[in-house]
Amino acid sequence: MRGRNRWTVQSWDTVLHAGSQCRRSPRPAPPARGQTLPPHREGRNLGQRHRNRGRYWTWSTVAVSTSASALTGGAGCHHSGRMNNKKCSSLFLKPGGRTRIIQCIYVVGFMDLFGVSMIIPLLSHHVKSLGASPTVAGIVGSTYGILQLFSSTIVGSWSDVVGRRYSLLTCLLLSAFGYSLLGMSTSIALFVLARIPVGLFKHSLSICRALLSDLVSESERPLVMGHFNAASSVGFILGPVVGGYLTEHDGGFYTSAFTCAAIFVLNTGLVWMLPWHETLINCNGTNSSRKACPDCSNYGKATQNGSHVHNLYPEPTPEPERRQREFKWREVSLLQPVLRQLSSVGSRIHTVASSDMWDLFLVRLLMAIGIMLYYSNFSLAMEERFSLKPKMTGYLISYSSMLGALSGFLVGPVTKLYGNHMPALLLHSTVLTCTLIFLYATAPSVWQVLLTSTFFAISTSVGRTCITDLELQRGGVQSSGTLIGAGQSVTAVGRVLAPLLSGLAQEISPCGPPILGVALALAAVGLLINRIPTWDGRRTKQD
């Protein structure tokens, strides 16, 4: 009996390790009923090792593991046509830990934009009160956007290297430090100094999106991203109300700045207390699997602090030793030499820059500029075209913003309606956005503007989620931080170009900016029509 089981253990140990190899080979068939499996594998509950290491697996245990592998997309790696030519498994947490992390990230996103939106409307008034001329105020105001332009991709890639937990904690703490300096800014020099750490490290929302993309499967990602965008947008709507109330008191700006810093400190504590310890080990530690998938070892190291994980067949390591090894990996991933981190960040950015995703980034840029042109002179156009008072214009903007926040909950159902075919959904949302901008530019009455604003908020919310999801699909979840950061950098370029183009277009007509936005949106539609067949062909080959 012992000899027969020894042969079975050796054979199935080879079979189980073969499931994590990065090669084109079918997964082994499950064992016949009653056939024994080696000890030290997962127990009856996924994610928990069998306490009694002397027992062998039965058919029911293998069936549970096989079913879980099918639900999560399988463990290990396989070749694909994506940017990195490999696709590692997605994050697998205990159900309770996964749900708690997602819900806490929603709260972090809400509080993040709630605190920021308290400050944004007050910045221009404060810098002018410090004695800055309009030109100096404009230069100081552009500092944040320029820093965000260059730091978004770098910080996003850095989160792929050291992991989501430490990068998110670092960004939150340094942002809190920057807003604290802003609360003590009594001169223009101190004001500029306070904007530097915020401009460099205020990427907490991007890292939260990358973390959410690690936590869920590809089919769940649009739903979760839509909910996160909705929670963040609600915070952005409520923040100015509180900030305006605080400003009415003496030293209101400084109170708002310190309140914003306190919110970021609170977010830091919330992220620190997330159940990261409930993550499993990612990527098998065998030499064969590392040779077959070179990035898996680095990828696993970077994810031990909670950014990625998952393997249905972990190594047979005792619990105390496993926890000690996880703790060591967390230290190594954070404290590894700076040059090694910079090298990894540079290689990831180079991979994205040399990929064939230029079409997606170009669509993002065109649509970002077009949407910003829609909003660029909205208040002025309402006053000149329809003699609408600023108060009523403010109500209209608030109505549109609230619809945009609530429309995040529609992304999931709409995605299911399209069968998760994101290219088609992106094309249709882009066509709808282009049509609505044209109807706004040619609107004969305020009621048509109200109607277009209603659907415009929905179409832009769906399109924003679609473009992010497509970038992650084509680039791979391993580089989600780099991809989301690159997308934010492209959007930052749009923020720089949109005011310039809006000013030139307004020289012609109050309707000039939205008309120019229609032209850019049409260019995006044409690009999508030309490129979507290519995307579908690549996806068919991958499948």
Side-chain angles (χ1 to χ4, degrees):
M1 183 66 179
R2 184 180 300 270
R4 180 169 59 88
N5 283 335
R6 185 183 297 114
W7 178 88
T8 306
V9 169
Q10 183 179 4
S11 301
W12 273 102
D13 192 55
T14 304
V15 170
L16 289 172
H17 283 302
S20 64
Q21 303 298 316
C22 296
R23 63 188 182 189
R24 291 177 178 170
S25 60
R27 292 183 61 85
R33 292 184 180 274
Q35 186 172 358
T36 56
L37 281 176
H40 64 250
R41 296 301 179 188
E42 294 177 348
R44 294 181 178 86
N45 296 325
L46 289 176
Q48 299 178 355
R49 288 171 171 78
H50 204 291
R51 296 289 183 182
N52 189 347
R53 299 174 65 85
R55 296 182 181 178
Y56 291 91
W57 274 10
T58 61
W59 172 268
S60 59
T61 310
V62 179
V64 172
S65 298
T66 306
S67 301
S69 178
L71 290 174
T72 57
C77 308
H78 61 80
H79 284 277
S80 67
R82 296 186 179 181
M83 181 183 65
N84 293 329
N85 294 327
K86 61 182 82 66
K87 176 186 176 183
C88 290
S89 54
S90 59
L91 182 67
F92 185 79
L93 292 170
K94 297 178 181 179
R98 175 180 179 271
T99 303
R100 285 196 296 271
I101 289 181
I102 292 176
Q103 291 174 348
C104 289
I105 293 301
Y106 290 162
V107 176
V108 170
F110 168 81
M111 296 178 65
D112 187 292
L113 281 189
F114 177 80
V116 171
S117 61
M118 291 172 54
I119 295 296
I120 290 178
L122 311 177
L123 291 176
S124 59
H125 297 284
H126 180 67
V127 71
K128 288 181 181 179
S129 68
L130 296 177
S133 64
T135 302
V136 174
I139 295 174
V140 171
S142 63
T143 303
Y144 175 82
I146 294 174
L147 291 175
Q148 287 272 297
L149 170 63
F150 292 102
S151 63
S152 294
T153 307
I154 297 175
V155 174
S157 180
W158 182 62
S159 73
D160 290 332
V161 174
V162 301
R164 311 292 181 225
R165 185 187 190 188
Y166 292 118
S167 57
L168 185 54
L169 288 172
T170 302
C171 288
L172 289 172
L173 283 175
L174 291 176
S175 298
F177 173 71
Y179 286 114
S180 299
L181 285 180
L182 194 63
M184 298 182 289
S185 59
T186 55
S187 64
I188 298 177
L190 192 56
F191 183 89
V192 174
L193 181 64
R195 299 299 285 168
I196 292 177
V198 178
L200 290 176
F201 293 98
K202 176 56 186 72
H203 302 290
S204 48
L205 292 180
S206 298
I207 298 177
C208 285
R209 290 188 177 94
L211 176 58
L212 290 175
S213 69
D214 300 332
L215 286 168
V216 299
S217 63
E218 187 173 303
S219 59
E220 294 175 321
R221 190 165 55 208
L223 175 66
V224 173
M225 289 293 186
H227 290 176
F228 178 77
N229 291 336
S232 303
S233 299
V234 171
F236 193 79
I237 293 171
L238 298 179
V241 178
V242 178
Y245 173 78
L246 294 176
T247 308
E248 294 180 355
H249 301 79
D250 293 336
F253 175 81
Y254 301 103
T255 303
S256 300
F258 282 119
T259 303
C260 180
I263 289 174
F264 275 84
V265 172
L266 185 61
N267 269 349
T268 303
L270 182 60
V271 171
W272 179 266
M273 292 186 296
L274 288 179
W276 305 100
H277 61 279
E278 296 191 6
T279 58
L280 301 179
I281 302 297
N282 178 41
C283 284
N284 230 328
T286 59
N287 294 331
S288 58
S289 64
R290 291 181 181 178
K291 291 178 182 179
C293 185
D295 282 355
C296 283
S297 57
N298 296 331
Y299 179 70
K301 294 175 185 178
T303 61
Q304 294 306 315
N305 53 41
S307 65
H308 319 72
V309 274
H310 176 40
N311 193 2
L312 290 179
Y313 306 111
E315 281 298 295
T317 306
E319 190 71 16
E321 182 180 348
R322 181 180 67 84
R323 292 185 178 180
Q324 183 179 6
R325 186 175 65 182
E326 285 182 3
F327 180 75
K328 289 180 179 179
W329 275 129
R330 291 173 184 174
E331 291 181 344
V332 171
S333 65
L334 179 65
L335 302 178
Q336 59 181 312
V338 176
L339 291 179
R340 187 184 304 172
Q341 292 187 20
L342 293 177
S343 176
S344 300
V345 169
S347 63
R348 289 175 181 272
I349 295 176
H350 175 73
T351 303
V352 173
S354 59
S355 66
D356 59 346
M357 296 177 62
W358 61 270
D359 43 10
L360 273 177
F361 290 129
L362 183 56
V363 170
R364 175 185 280 273
L365 178 62
L366 293 173
M367 292 306 300
I369 297 176
I371 293 171
M372 291 174 190
L373 288 174
Y374 173 91
Y375 288 113
S376 61
N377 69 331
F378 189 84
S379 300
L380 181 61
M382 291 294 99
E383 182 179 358
E384 293 185 0
R385 294 172 59 188
F386 308 110
S387 301
L388 202 65
K389 295 182 179 180
K391 182 179 180 180
M392 296 302 298
T393 303
Y395 288 152
L396 185 58
I397 294 175
S398 299
Y399 166 76
S400 177
S401 300
M402 183 60 69
L403 281 180
L406 297 178
S407 61
F409 296 102
L410 297 176
V411 175
V414 172
T415 303
K416 291 182 179 178
L417 182 64
Y418 275 77
N420 289 324
H421 190 236
M422 303 306 289
L425 182 55
L426 177 61
L427 175 61
H428 294 166
S429 64
T430 305
V431 171
L432 180 59
T433 302
C434 178
T435 304
L436 292 173
I437 297 176
F438 176 77
L439 292 177
Y440 159 72
T442 58
S445 64
V446 178
W447 295 108
Q448 184 169 328
V449 174
L450 179 64
L451 181 64
T452 57
S453 298
T454 301
F455 293 99
F456 186 78
I458 298 174
S459 66
T460 53
S461 178
V462 173
R464 183 169 60 250
T465 305
C466 283
I467 194 72
T468 301
D469 191 77
L470 278 173
E471 289 169 356
L472 294 175
Q473 282 184 18
R474 294 182 58 186
V477 73
Q478 312 95 297
S479 302
S480 56
T482 308
L483 293 167
I484 293 177
Q488 294 301 316
S489 295
V490 172
T491 304
V493 173
R495 292 194 186 100
V496 174
L497 296 178
L500 176 62
L501 296 177
S502 177
L504 295 175
Q506 286 185 66
E507 295 289 341
I508 302 174
S509 169
C511 298
I515 291 295
L516 181 57
V518 171
L520 295 176
L522 283 175
V525 171
L527 181 60
L528 286 173
I529 293 175
N530 183 46
R531 298 296 297 176
I532 284 179
T534 305
W535 301 347
D536 291 339
R538 291 174 182 172
R539 191 173 185 84
T540 302
K541 291 180 180 179
Q542 292 175 16
D543 296 339

